[in-house]
Amino acid sequence: MRRVVCPGSFDPVTNGHLDIIGRASRQYDEVVVAVLINIEKKSLFTVEERIEMLQAVTKEYGNVRVDKFHGLLVDYCRQQEIPAIVKGLRAVSDFDYELQQAQLNYRMSGVETLFMATGPEVSFLSSSRIKEIVRYGGSVAGLVPDLVQDLLVERLRG
Ligand code: PNS
């Protein structure tokens, strides 16, 4: 079984995340989308809400499982017998941070990190920008799944 993890905060999932998850699902037998439980970071959606959204929008892939984790990602990988992490790279600005994490994770555990170039049509997306646009009345249609857009509008403008 070739298994890989796509980790993140997913607050909320965007079409940029889905681009990477969908493409990873075509390369691997199973993709585990792992939502970080981070009590220090203020989030818009609870971990359970984020998991529900991810489950709904990845259902069609068939080989994607959604889970949560806390602590070190490499410890989660070890527990789940996942040998590699897939990360999307949007731009050079992502690279410094991701390289350091990848090297540390490999040094700590031998878990590999594989970088996938984000599709150019979604490479400008981030969850924080999406929330900002919705908060100030803009439309994020086509940038996040419809279900996520509805929940964002409800949460931020309701
Ligand atoms: O979507 P994000 O917030 O950019 O995701 C970052 C994430 C969850 C991949 C990263 O923060 C992470 O792996 N956190 C778990 C803690 C950990 O393992 N830290 C050591 C990294 S060297």
Side-chain angles (χ1 to χ4, degrees), residues 7-9 36 41 69 71-73 87 97 101 104-105 108:
S9 303
L36 174 68
K41 202 165 149 187
F69 76 103
L72 291 179
L73 177 59
K87 284 290 191 81
Y97 172 79
Q101 271 204 17
L104 276 164
N105 282 336
M108 286 191 287

